[in-house]
Amino acid sequence: MVPKLRRPLKIGILGGGQLSLMLAEAAMKMGIETRILAEGPDAPVAQVFAHCTLGSVKDPASLRTFFSQVDLLIFENEFVNCEVLKGAARGLSVEFIPSLDTISQVQDKLTQKEWLGRLGVPSADYYELNPEYSLEAEVRACLEKFNGQCVLKWAKLGYDGKGVMPLASGKLDWVRIHSFVNSAKERRSRVFAERKISFKRELALVAVYSRNEEFHTYPLVISEQKEGICSLVYGPAVALGVDQRLEQQACHYAKSLAKALSLYGSFAIEFFETDENEILVNEIAPRIHNSGHYTQDACATDQFENHLRAVLGVPIGSVQHSPGFAMLNVLGPKAPLGEEGLTALPKPSSNTYLHWYRKKQILPGRKLGHLNGIADATRELPQLIEELKVIEQDWIKQSFDINVSKKGENECLRPSL
Amino acid sequence: MVPKLRRPLKIGILGGGQLSLMLAEAAMKMGIETRILAEGPDAPVAQVFAHCTLGSVKDPASLRTFFSQVDLLIFENEFVNCEVLKGAARGLSVEFIPSLDTISQVQDKLTQKEWLGRLGVPSADYYELNPEYSLEAEVRACLEKFNGQCVLKWAKLGYDGKGVMPLASGKLDWVRIHSFVNSAKERRSRVFAERKISFKRELALVAVYSRNEEFHTYPLVISEQKEGICSLVYGPAVALGVDQRLEQQACHYAKSLAKALSLYGSFAIEFFETDENEILVNEIAPRIHNSGHYTQDACATDQFENHLRAVLGVPIGSVQHSPGFAMLNVLGPKAPLGEEGLTALPKPSSNTYLHWYRKKQILPGRKLGHLNGIADATRELPQLIEELKVIEQDWIKQSFDINVSKKGENECLRPSL
């Protein structure tokens, strides 16, 4: 099935954040005509890429104008209103990849769980809160079901620790719980409770499924979070003590999902590796994902180029990887640096690489960029991870020094990037 | 020596062609503030990169405005008028890297040869034509000196077969020779004759020299030209029968030159491998170069990122490479395809990568893009090179098919990129 398309083919990307920026970087080198709908001139991609239209992904009029200019539409993330998009695209020839049906199946974690169940893919037990019953009663019911410990989650629009709230019997903050559930309601999201999983490690897998039905996986990796935000990713997991069987299972699950949902492009699955040496799906992201950023420097083809190859039906590029690799997210430090902190960039070393998102404001915990590192062997990984952390710490220290010692001056020492 | 710079540091790039485009791609991901002076809106980089100023690199007013906006100035190529640049930068704090002194030493092939001689680096014997003598007498004198065969060259502004004319006794076309020498005069370039070298292969080496005096080389590679235009690059040369001693010599020569000329950044040296198993320098390019494009997909760090690292004094990135690699330039086919040929792009395979320059017109022999390929072993190289050629041929065929069968229609099949 080869689509008929106007020429030259134009790909539209919805959203102007770092994932869109990195997709644009891949499209740039590949010669693909790209148009991007970005929120404003300060959006990461709008600062450097020429073909950005400024407008909200929530505004039907902006969407419609944008859709009329492109042939294929891909997503930076799944946090979109599918009904609004469908309405805005009515009568136009734009094609969404993955389809809006697929996006709506995956963007809701409860619908995700139903799919997972149907496909025999294990995930944590859950309990959907019935909004018609009293919240207190529902919370107590699920705590009872899950032996006094569970995690409350929004079904939709949660990310980076948002939309997640751990609960434990006897330590319930009802004000926070009510506010959490009300926030979900405002987002038209259901709420559910999930059994608190006792896990050894969190794992992640990025897979690519192309419109030619080609399917490939990058290696299973280990990921670490800080306050719900991805902090560190490294691998390959199987060289670090994770059972090969678990990687095989992860790949099998990814393939089942890709085929069942027509989930075209690069996508990610996050897993818990349980104390019982099994994996449970934690979350699915139907798109390029933070846990695959290491592919930019550690793999023959990165997740961004492969996302574009997959949606265009071009052969998926080799997923070969370096023997060891790590990715550290550079997050906004807790102590505010202000505007000044932006003047210096982290300074990579010989085998490490900086990817920087050009955020205009450094907020605590905000993803500002990431550092990738590659190693010739997995035994070098502890040292590599230490190296990444030192680069980040030096950057924070340097930024503070600049702010403290150079305040009010127009010039500053800027020995590096 | 750490320069004092305004913040945030801005790097300016002179010129808007494909080399500038690929530098901009590297700068984008690294978070570097970049400004580019491009010839017009159709320049490759101006089509996609937001911070292009349109203007001529020959126009002192455009240059001055541009220079006032940047801290460091780097070059897409050495085909610039150093006097004009120096004048336009007078009194401004912009720093040229490499310096204009270095550029002027390298941009003139006769001055190059003097440097090479001084450093004991071998290159072909030459004879500078004295413009005060009769051209006929000078040509006959050099043909006599070089046993009836030589190559006439402009000292400046020659590239891709331009500014090069082979001569042989008894087959002299005086009209063309006069025109060749007059074109050189118009460019204020001297003319010289070089002994025609009988060579086995052409080799090339890309090296990186940083402002911290770090020096690294990528592997020696084999290059093939078609009518003076680089067509194919592959390597590593030492795995393909080239003597390891020659690679060592090439690296030694590159290091001598880098240090003697303060040649900061990525730069390239092209060599002849003679029938006597020696290398002679053919040409030096004080910048990122076509013979290093393979580094984008075959090396841990490519020549573009390393160019930026080197001029910023950031540690040079690892030059580790895949066991085998090849790069094929996609040149405009001889039969004109017209505007239509642009609607389809070459379609890479799993282990090959397209880099496309977005040229608005397909002229015969024009560099439109390149295809990089990687291999797990050098024994796979013949097959890899064949694969690259098939991709190019399929693209030409497909473009012709589209032009022939779909002429006048608004829609066309476009199964690939």
Side-chain angles (χ1 to χ4, degrees):
Chain A
M1 276 276 300
V2 175
K4 273 203 159 193
L5 296 164
R6 281 165 305 178
R7 52 199 148 139
L9 180 76
K10 284 197 185 71
I11 291 195
I13 305 175
L14 221 49
Q18 63 262 27
L19 296 170
S20 178
L21 171 66
M22 292 184 276
L23 278 173
E25 286 167 8
M28 253 174 88
K29 70 177 180 195
M30 295 164 79
I32 298 169
E33 287 288 319
T34 311
R35 300 291 179 269
I36 296 173
L37 186 65
E39 299 71 21
D42 283 353
V45 71
Q47 291 182 55
V48 282
F49 187 68
H51 298 289
C52 289
T53 304
L54 303 188
S56 166
V57 302
K58 292 173 185 168
D59 172 42
S62 298
L63 287 170
R64 190 159 179 87
T65 310
F66 184 65
F67 291 164
S68 69
Q69 294 162 2
V70 299
D71 304 292
L72 297 182
L73 196 288
I74 61 176
F75 301 87
E76 176 181 41
N77 62 51
E78 67 281 21
F79 309 128
V80 292
N81 185 322
C82 290
E83 288 310 311
V84 171
L85 297 189
K86 199 174 282 178
R90 194 156 290 138
L92 299 175
S93 67
V94 61
E95 186 183 6
F96 295 86
I97 308 181
S99 73
L100 290 176
D101 273 356
T102 302
I103 293 287
S104 60
Q105 299 295 315
V106 185
Q107 70 181 177
D108 188 298
K109 292 194 180 78
L110 280 168
T111 323
Q112 263 186 34
K113 286 204 175 266
E114 286 156 22
W115 269 105
L116 293 171
R118 221 170 297 163
L119 294 166
V121 178
S123 74
D125 290 344
Y126 66 102
Y127 178 100
E128 183 181 345
L129 271 63
N130 189 329
E132 292 180 10
Y133 298 163
S134 113
L135 178 58
E136 280 81 356
E138 284 291 89
V139 165
R140 291 194 204 286
C142 63
L143 280 168
E144 190 167 335
K145 178 176 161 82
F146 296 132
N147 304 323
Q149 288 212 61
C150 66
V151 183
L152 222 51
K153 289 188 175 180
W154 299 344
K156 281 163 76 169
L157 298 170
Y159 70 97
D160 286 354
K162 237 168 85 172
V164 175
M165 181 186 265
L167 296 183
S169 297
K171 296 183 201 159
L172 299 175
D173 180 341
W174 288 105
V175 176
R176 281 189 63 223
I177 296 171
H178 274 279
S179 151
F180 183 88
V181 171
N182 285 334
S183 295
K185 263 186 206 150
E186 283 163 20
R187 291 167 170 80
R188 297 164 178 264
S189 168
R190 295 179 285 174
V191 175
F192 64 102
E194 211 176 54
R195 182 190 298 281
K196 189 175 151 63
I197 302 298
S198 168
F199 58 85
K200 282 197 281 194
R201 284 178 283 219
E202 289 186 75
L203 306 174
L205 181 84
V206 172
V208 194
Y209 183 48
S210 88
R211 303 184 72 193
N212 298 343
E213 320 246 307
E214 239 192 303
F215 179 83
H216 290 275
T217 52
Y218 289 100
L220 190 66
V221 297
I222 298 169
S223 71
E224 292 180 9
Q225 333 292 320
K226 265 189 198 161
E227 299 171 25
I229 301 171
C230 173
S231 156
L232 185 66
V233 169
Y234 53 99
V238 294
L240 295 159
V242 174
D243 205 324
Q244 197 117 33
R245 175 182 58 88
L246 297 184
E247 183 171 62
Q248 282 160 5
Q249 275 178 0
C251 294
H252 173 70
Y253 297 156
K255 193 169 189 173
S256 304
L257 270 162
K259 295 205 176 263
L261 289 162
S262 298
L263 190 44
Y264 298 121
S266 297
F267 67 94
I269 309 184
E270 294 178 294
F271 298 94
F272 296 118
E273 184 190 8
T274 67
D275 292 338
E276 294 75 35
N277 213 20
E278 296 299 336
I279 51 173
L280 297 178
V281 170
N282 177 19
E283 237 175 87
I284 300 163
R287 53 167 166 95
I288 50 330
H289 189 259
N290 200 162
S291 62
H293 288 357
Y294 73 89
T295 61
Q296 293 173 306
D297 296 292
C299 296
T301 319
D302 70 36
Q303 63 168 348
F304 302 98
E305 171 157 354
N306 265 339
H307 192 68
L308 296 170
R309 286 184 180 230
V311 301
L312 289 164
V314 171
I316 293 174
S318 163
V319 292
Q320 273 197 310
H321 57 85
S322 66
F325 52 81
M327 189 273 331
L328 180 77
N329 271 339
V330 180
L331 304 177
K334 292 247 162 134
L337 290 170
E339 191 77 15
E340 296 294 305
L342 289 167
T343 57
L345 295 181
K347 185 175 172 176
S349 55
S350 168
N351 57 331
T352 65
Y353 300 88
L354 176 67
H355 298 261
W356 194 251
Y357 309 153
R358 299 167 191 268
K359 302 269 168 95
K360 284 290 186 186
Q361 282 189 304
I362 300 190
L363 301 177
R366 185 175 219 187
K367 290 175 182 169
L368 305 175
H370 64 272
L371 285 157
N372 284 334
I374 52 174
D376 289 334
T378 42
R379 69 169 177 282
E380 295 170 13
L381 276 180
Q383 195 190 328
L384 179 64
I385 290 168
E386 185 54 32
E387 199 175 329
L388 295 173
K389 288 180 176 171
V390 166
I391 293 169
E392 187 194 28
Q393 285 309 310
D394 284 351
W395 166 70
I396 293 175
K397 193 177 167 308
Q398 191 200 350
S399 299
F400 270 111
D401 287 351
I402 288 174
N403 287 332
V404 172
S405 70
K406 299 283 169 178
K407 210 138 199 169
E409 290 185 30
N410 278 326
E411 306 249 290
C412 75
L413 287 178
R414 199 169 175 302
S416 71
L417 277 179
Chain B
M1 277 275 299
V2 175
K4 272 205 162 192
L5 296 164
R6 280 165 305 176
R7 57 197 143 144
L9 180 76
K10 285 198 186 71
I11 291 196
I13 305 175
L14 222 49
Q18 63 262 27
L19 296 171
S20 177
L21 171 66
M22 292 183 277
L23 279 173
E25 286 167 8
M28 253 174 87
K29 69 177 181 196
M30 296 165 79
I32 299 168
E33 287 288 319
T34 311
R35 299 293 179 270
I36 296 173
L37 186 66
E39 299 71 20
D42 284 352
V45 72
Q47 291 181 56
V48 282
F49 187 68
H51 297 290
C52 290
T53 303
L54 303 188
S56 166
V57 302
K58 292 173 184 166
D59 172 42
S62 299
L63 287 169
R64 189 158 180 87
T65 310
F66 185 67
F67 291 163
S68 70
Q69 294 161 2
V70 299
D71 303 292
L72 298 182
L73 196 289
I74 62 176
F75 300 87
E76 176 181 42
N77 62 51
E78 67 280 22
F79 308 128
V80 292
N81 186 322
C82 291
E83 287 310 310
V84 171
L85 297 190
K86 199 173 282 178
R90 194 154 291 137
L92 300 175
S93 66
V94 60
E95 185 183 6
F96 296 85
I97 308 180
S99 72
L100 289 176
D101 273 355
T102 302
I103 293 286
S104 59
Q105 299 294 315
V106 184
Q107 71 180 176
D108 187 299
K109 294 194 179 77
L110 279 168
T111 322
Q112 263 186 33
K113 284 203 176 269
E114 287 155 22
W115 269 104
L116 292 171
R118 220 170 298 163
L119 294 165
V121 178
S123 75
D125 291 344
Y126 67 101
Y127 179 101
E128 183 183 345
L129 270 63
N130 189 330
E132 292 180 11
Y133 299 164
S134 114
L135 177 59
E136 279 83 354
E138 284 292 90
V139 166
R140 290 194 204 287
C142 63
L143 280 169
E144 189 167 336
K145 177 176 163 79
F146 297 131
N147 305 322
Q149 287 213 61
C150 66
V151 182
L152 222 50
K153 289 188 175 181
W154 299 346
K156 281 163 76 168
L157 297 170
Y159 70 97
D160 286 353
K162 236 169 86 173
V164 175
M165 181 185 266
L167 296 182
S169 296
K171 297 182 202 161
L172 299 175
D173 179 340
W174 288 105
V175 175
R176 282 190 62 224
I177 295 172
H178 273 279
S179 152
F180 182 89
V181 171
N182 284 334
S183 296
K185 261 186 210 154
E186 283 163 19
R187 289 166 172 81
R188 295 164 180 264
S189 168
R190 296 180 284 175
V191 174
F192 65 102
E194 211 176 55
R195 183 190 298 282
K196 189 176 152 60
I197 302 297
S198 167
F199 60 84
K200 284 197 280 193
R201 283 177 285 221
E202 288 185 75
L203 306 174
L205 182 84
V206 172
V208 194
Y209 183 49
S210 89
R211 302 182 72 193
N212 298 344
E213 320 245 307
E214 239 192 302
F215 179 83
H216 289 275
T217 53
Y218 289 101
L220 190 67
V221 296
I222 298 170
S223 72
E224 293 179 10
Q225 333 290 320
K226 264 188 197 162
E227 298 171 24
I229 301 171
C230 173
S231 156
L232 185 67
V233 169
Y234 53 99
V238 294
L240 295 159
V242 173
D243 204 326
Q244 197 118 33
R245 173 182 58 90
L246 298 184
E247 183 172 60
Q248 283 161 3
Q249 274 177 0
C251 294
H252 172 70
Y253 296 156
K255 194 168 188 173
S256 305
L257 270 162
K259 295 204 175 263
L261 288 162
S262 298
L263 190 45
Y264 298 121
S266 296
F267 68 93
I269 310 184
E270 295 177 294
F271 298 94
F272 296 118
E273 184 191 7
T274 66
D275 293 338
E276 294 75 34
N277 212 20
E278 297 298 337
I279 51 173
L280 297 178
V281 169
N282 176 19
E283 235 174 272
I284 301 161
R287 52 166 167 96
I288 54 316
H289 188 259
N290 200 162
S291 62
H293 288 357
Y294 73 90
T295 61
Q296 292 173 308
D297 296 293
C299 296
T301 320
D302 71 34
Q303 64 168 345
F304 301 99
E305 171 158 353
N306 264 340
H307 192 68
L308 296 170
R309 285 183 180 230
V311 301
L312 288 165
V314 171
I316 293 174
S318 163
V319 292
Q320 272 197 310
H321 57 84
S322 65
F325 52 81
M327 189 275 328
L328 181 77
N329 271 338
V330 180
L331 304 177
K334 293 247 161 130
L337 292 170
E339 191 77 15
E340 296 295 305
L342 289 167
T343 59
L345 296 181
K347 185 175 171 176
S349 55
S350 168
N351 58 330
T352 63
Y353 300 86
L354 177 66
H355 298 261
W356 195 250
Y357 310 153
R358 300 167 190 266
K359 303 269 168 96
K360 285 290 187 187
Q361 282 188 304
I362 300 189
L363 302 176
R366 186 175 218 189
K367 290 175 182 171
L368 304 175
H370 65 272
L371 285 157
N372 285 334
I374 51 174
D376 289 333
T378 42
R379 68 171 178 280
E380 294 169 13
L381 275 181
Q383 197 191 325
L384 178 65
I385 290 168
E386 184 55 30
E387 200 175 329
L388 295 173
K389 288 180 176 170
V390 167
I391 293 170
E392 187 193 28
Q393 285 309 308
D394 284 351
W395 166 70
I396 294 175
K397 193 177 167 307
Q398 190 200 352
S399 299
F400 270 112
D401 287 350
I402 289 174
N403 286 334
V404 173
S405 70
K406 299 282 169 181
K407 210 138 200 168
E409 290 184 30
N410 278 325
E411 307 251 289
C412 74
L413 287 178
R414 198 165 176 303
S416 70
L417 276 180

